[in-house]
Amino acid sequence: MIMNEKAINSCKSKELLPVLKRLKKLEKYCRLIDGNIGTYAKTHEITGNMPDQLKEWLKIFDGGILFTISMFSTRDREVGKFNRMLTFSEINSSDFREKNDIPEEVVCFAMTNYGNYYCYISYETSGCIYEFDTEQTALIKKWDSFSDWLNEQIDFAESLIADGELDPLED
């Protein structure tokens, strides 16, 4: 899937923009859906405050596959691309949180291929991103920003590609 270069270049975060340009080079290993200001607005209605760099991401992408990670969306399907997608509203619902022992202040935006969640803390203003371990029901890893988190995901994907363990996604 071809990433919208114009949307990427419109990113207002000086820290996130070079990471997005780096991601663009690996676009054949992703299947991300185009987002827009409405994606951010819909997500904000569901989750409330969020880190600024995640806001910028949502103005460009509305969920999909980022290497081996499921990025949540504002919609549950995308005709011709996804028959079913995980949504912000279902994963961050009170019912889902209760069943999965996810604290109310933990807001999830993506899921690993091994069942953990990437998230932020709703009341924090630091912009930090965390990994929430579903077995330990605890935050187990922290990044100082969304761009730091994304850079690490790109690094990991590049190592998988070099080892022949990550193939391009078919359209």
Side-chain angles (χ1 to χ4, degrees):
M1 170 163 188
I2 298 172
M3 293 181 185
N4 184 334
E5 195 162 355
K6 185 178 178 183
I8 288 171
N9 288 331
S10 72
C11 177
K12 294 177 182 162
S13 169
K14 291 177 183 170
E15 296 81 26
L16 183 58
L17 180 59
V19 183
L20 292 172
K21 289 181 177 185
R22 187 173 170 223
L23 175 64
K24 172 94 171 92
K25 295 176 184 174
L26 298 175
E27 66 188 338
K28 64 184 177 182
Y29 298 92
C30 304
R31 188 174 293 153
L32 296 166
I33 299 169
D34 289 340
N36 55 42
I37 190 73
T39 306
Y40 158 67
K42 287 178 190 174
T43 306
H44 186 267
E45 287 175 22
I46 297 163
T47 65
N49 290 334
M50 66 185 75
D52 288 340
Q53 290 181 8
L54 182 57
K55 290 177 193 176
E56 290 296 310
W57 171 270
L58 292 170
K59 292 174 186 175
I60 303 167
F61 301 111
D62 186 4
I65 303 297
L66 174 71
F67 312 122
T68 62
I69 300 164
S70 295
M71 301 297 291
F72 302 154
S73 179
T74 60
R75 44 194 148 172
D76 63 357
R77 68 188 76 243
E78 177 70 6
V79 177
K81 295 183 179 136
F82 297 100
N83 291 331
R84 177 75 178 101
M85 295 175 37
L86 296 171
T87 67
F88 285 100
S89 57
E90 70 183 313
I91 300 299
N92 291 292
S93 70
S94 296
D95 187 47
F96 186 87
R97 289 172 185 279
E98 189 176 311
K99 287 179 183 174
N100 293 283
D101 293 322
I102 300 173
E104 193 66 31
E105 68 273 6
V106 173
V107 181
C108 303
F109 65 85
M111 188 170 106
T112 68
N113 60 345
Y114 47 89
N116 285 350
Y117 295 100
Y118 292 117
C119 58
Y120 59 92
I121 306 301
S122 61
Y123 59 79
E124 285 186 358
T125 58
S126 64
C128 292
I129 300 299
Y130 301 89
E131 182 175 342
F132 182 82
D133 186 299
T134 55
E135 289 182 16
Q136 297 179 40
T137 62
L139 300 173
I140 59 167
K141 192 164 184 181
K142 176 183 175 183
W143 294 266
D144 289 335
S145 67
F146 184 81
S147 59
D148 287 349
W149 171 82
L150 185 56
N151 250 330
E152 187 170 308
Q153 304 317 310
I154 295 169
D155 289 344
F156 183 61
E158 288 176 337
S159 71
L160 290 176
I161 293 164
D163 293 342
E165 295 179 26
L166 185 63
D167 296 321
L169 297 174
E170 296 178 19
D171 282 332

